Amino acid sequence: MNVWRSKAALSGLALTLLLTACSGGNGESGGNGGNAGNGTNSGNATTTPANAAENNSQQTAEETPVEQDFGKDVSGEVTIWAFNENVFEQVADAFMAEYPGIKVNTVFVPFDELHDKLQTALASGSGAPDIAEVEQGQFTRYVTGGVLENLLDEPYNAGQFKSLVPEYNWERWMSPDGTQLLGMPWDSTPGVWYYRADIMEELGLPSDPDELGEYIQDGENFLTLAQVLAANGKQAFEWRDGPIHWAGDELGYFDSELNWIRDNDKLVQILDYTKRGNQLGWAPHMGAFTDEGKQLVLSGQLVGMALGSWGARQLESDFPELAGKWRVTNLPFGINFPIGGSSFVIPAQSPNKDAAWVYMQWVMRSENAWKIWTNHSIQPGYTDIAQLPWYAEQPNDYLGGQQDYKLYERLAQQVPTKRLNPLDGRGWELWVPRILDALDKNIDSRTTLQLAKEDAESMLKDDIDNLRKQLGQ
């Protein structure tokens, strides 16, 4: 019996490694200064875990989506703003080859500039494109005021696709009151943990993704792992306050009546774990893709990262010399939430809505489109596409031949639902200082969450009242 197995048998404790952007960082899942500062992964909890897997139970891996005619009799010209370079032009060329009557003009706009420019155009009533790529953390800028088309209405009738989309990925693009679909679900980005399997094995820790994923659901096991790593001069993930932000982002900030909801027993428990892990020094508290962070990864000090399912692409790009050493599994503590994700929206002022909808349907529902998207590590947000053998059974050479796409799709079906609203960014600004106080001053976890709730109810009272009025509550 190796050292790890003995320790596990005696103590019932065990392991995991993780990493994500939290306070002080610039990553995806809750970093101070990162996308979550704009509400990237936050929103209203509307139900408990997603049940899309049940809705899609009749879809089998052998079924192939039927290529449809989304409107080959439609003609026109469509302009789309996108912040992802290269891939959108490839998709546009493939679309125009099948739909020669529609010309697509793809305009690359840097991330921040695109969202600022779109907000200005929507507010002024002119200058917006026919379609815009919108990231989930910026989406809440546009969810009130009727500036976007409701895709549930005629002529779109997007509700026909709902059963094919994991529930969380549908709900996050709904209006705050749940009556309108303002963004078309596109990619699926469940949070996962990428880890150095070779180092885990060297330390006598489980390195198999399934075994490790099951084991790290227990918080005590995760802390034991962090302790083993610390004893060997290694760290489990990027940001010291990571897990409490992951758990918060799984839940959201407000319920459907705009009541603050980050004060439940699970969050108390996760904050307790986070305080204990912080005392172990389980994270360097910096981004892994910064110059300093890269050195920690290359030296083998930083052995895990909590990222969205797009993470393998970035790991391969930044650390090609580590190919074959990484694997991926679920997050620890039983936490499951999306890290990042984008949508397509149609501004109400667009003069080319019919052609825009033909294009939007094709890029979301065409197998030919997804064969391009997936080459750029964009995971399908539609279950029938994600279950196709050419996608699901594709091994990832960088991850040692692991079929990671199957894991991403399974986790996507389990993500709890929440709905975004314009106050999420303000909620984040109140939340982070309270969490850091708890870590630095060892403030009681339940007291910390109660203080955060009181902050929200007092400091955001006017904003909450105004939004309730806008939503007719």
Side-chain angles (χ1 to χ4, degrees):
M1 179 178 293
N2 65 29
V3 173
W4 171 255
R5 300 297 183 192
S6 297
K7 181 181 286 282
L10 291 172
S11 67
L13 306 178
L15 50 114
T16 239
L17 305 146
L18 291 155
L19 165 170
T20 193
C22 298
S23 69
N26 59 2
E28 291 286 334
S29 101
N32 185 14
N35 291 338
N38 295 317
T40 299
N41 295 304
S42 56
N44 301 343
T46 56
T47 71
T48 48
N51 60 10
E54 179 179 348
N55 294 339
N56 298 324
S57 61
Q58 295 180 349
Q59 188 75 41
T60 68
E62 288 74 26
E63 289 182 85
T64 301
V66 177
E67 293 296 336
Q68 303 177 48
D69 177 359
F70 297 113
K72 292 191 175 178
D73 58 336
V74 176
S75 61
E77 189 167 338
V78 174
T79 297
I80 178 169
W81 289 356
F83 54 81
N84 280 300
E85 289 190 84
N86 302 322
V87 60
F88 274 81
E89 292 184 354
Q90 295 177 38
V91 170
D93 288 342
F95 168 78
M96 288 186 288
E98 292 189 32
Y99 289 78
I102 299 176
K103 180 181 179 182
V104 178
N105 302 309
T106 302
V107 180
F108 168 71
V109 187
F111 183 90
D112 290 332
E113 182 182 343
L114 185 153
H115 291 96
D116 290 343
K117 188 176 179 180
L118 180 62
Q119 185 173 19
T120 299
L122 294 177
S124 68
S126 63
D130 300 298
I131 299 173
E133 178 192 12
V134 175
E135 194 269 340
Q136 101 170 340
Q138 309 296 319
F139 174 67
T140 57
R141 297 192 192 193
Y142 324 114
V143 297
T144 59
V147 295
L148 300 178
E149 288 289 281
N150 176 14
L151 302 178
L152 297 179
D153 286 347
E154 296 280 356
Y156 313 109
N157 298 314
Q160 64 185 298
F161 303 121
K162 184 176 181 180
S163 66
L164 299 174
V165 179
E167 188 176 356
Y168 91 90
N169 201 18
W170 186 270
E171 288 295 324
R172 65 175 171 171
W173 306 118
M174 295 290 287
S175 59
D177 62 2
T179 63
Q180 302 179 69
L181 182 69
L182 301 177
M184 190 67 175
W186 176 33
D187 59 342
S188 182
T189 57
V192 292
W193 178 48
Y194 295 95
Y195 63 95
R196 285 286 300 274
D198 59 324
I199 292 177
M200 299 290 279
E201 186 173 356
E202 289 173 8
L203 296 179
L205 304 173
S207 59
D208 175 75
D210 291 336
E211 181 183 357
L212 180 57
E214 180 178 357
Y215 203 58
I216 66 177
Q217 297 301 298
D218 185 281
E220 295 297 334
N221 292 346
F222 179 70
L223 287 177
T224 297
L225 170 67
Q227 190 171 22
V228 171
L229 293 175
N232 288 275
K234 302 184 185 302
Q235 293 170 304
F237 51 93
E238 292 172 289
W239 305 100
R240 64 184 181 129
D241 48 352
I244 185 58
H245 296 317
W246 308 333
D249 286 344
E250 179 184 71
L251 181 65
Y253 292 90
F254 304 93
D255 65 16
S256 57
E257 280 76 45
L258 300 183
N259 299 303
W260 183 264
I261 56 175
R262 290 196 171 196
D263 60 345
N264 63 25
D265 290 341
K266 180 176 180 178
L267 289 179
V268 172
Q269 181 185 52
I270 299 298
L271 182 51
D272 282 342
Y273 284 136
T274 304
K275 290 159 61 179
R276 291 166 60 190
N278 181 59
Q279 293 171 355
L280 291 173
W282 62 0
H285 206 60
M286 68 175 65
F289 300 105
T290 62
D291 289 341
E292 189 175 358
K294 287 180 180 179
Q295 292 307 309
L296 297 182
V297 174
L298 290 171
S299 69
Q301 178 178 330
L302 184 57
V303 299
M305 301 184 199
L307 303 170
S309 52
W310 40 266
R313 170 190 60 197
Q314 189 158 0
L315 286 170
E316 183 173 9
S317 174
D318 286 52
F319 307 108
E321 59 271 67
L322 299 179
K325 299 180 183 297
W326 293 90
R327 300 291 186 275
V328 62
T329 191
N330 49 261
L331 293 172
F333 299 113
I335 296 171
N336 196 3
F337 76 105
I339 302 181
S342 301
S343 176
F344 289 1
V345 300
I346 298 179
Q349 62 184 257
S350 165
N352 304 302
K353 297 183 180 67
D354 288 345
W357 180 235
V358 172
Y359 172 83
M360 189 179 288
Q361 288 180 95
W362 187 87
V363 299
M364 301 296 181
R365 297 294 304 136
S366 168
E367 190 175 348
N368 290 337
W370 278 108
K371 286 182 177 179
I372 301 174
W373 294 129
T374 56
N375 282 339
H376 294 263
S377 199
I378 298 171
Q379 317 304 331
Y382 296 84
T383 298
D384 56 342
I385 298 290
Q387 292 178 346
L388 291 172
W390 67 259
Y391 172 78
E393 297 175 9
Q394 183 178 145
N396 189 322
D397 292 338
Y398 188 81
L399 298 180
Q402 182 181 354
Q403 292 183 345
D404 55 328
Y405 293 155
K406 290 182 178 180
L407 171 67
Y408 306 148
E409 174 62 12
R410 175 172 61 81
L411 293 177
Q413 302 293 350
Q414 299 170 6
V415 174
T417 62
K418 61 185 179 185
R419 196 170 294 142
L420 310 177
N421 80 58
L423 298 181
D424 294 340
R426 296 288 308 281
W428 168 254
E429 293 169 0
L430 299 174
W431 171 258
V432 173
R434 289 298 183 185
I435 296 303
L436 294 181
D437 273 353
L439 269 58
D440 294 337
K441 302 174 184 178
N442 198 29
I443 298 174
D444 175 74
S445 296
R446 194 172 296 278
T447 299
T448 295
L449 299 186
Q450 178 62 33
L451 290 172
K453 180 178 182 179
E454 292 173 2
D455 289 344
E457 291 176 344
S458 61
M459 300 172 68
L460 300 182
K461 183 179 184 304
D462 291 344
D463 297 299
I464 291 172
D465 289 343
N466 288 335
L467 184 54
R468 282 174 174 159
K469 290 178 182 178
Q470 291 182 52
L471 299 177
Q473 294 184 1

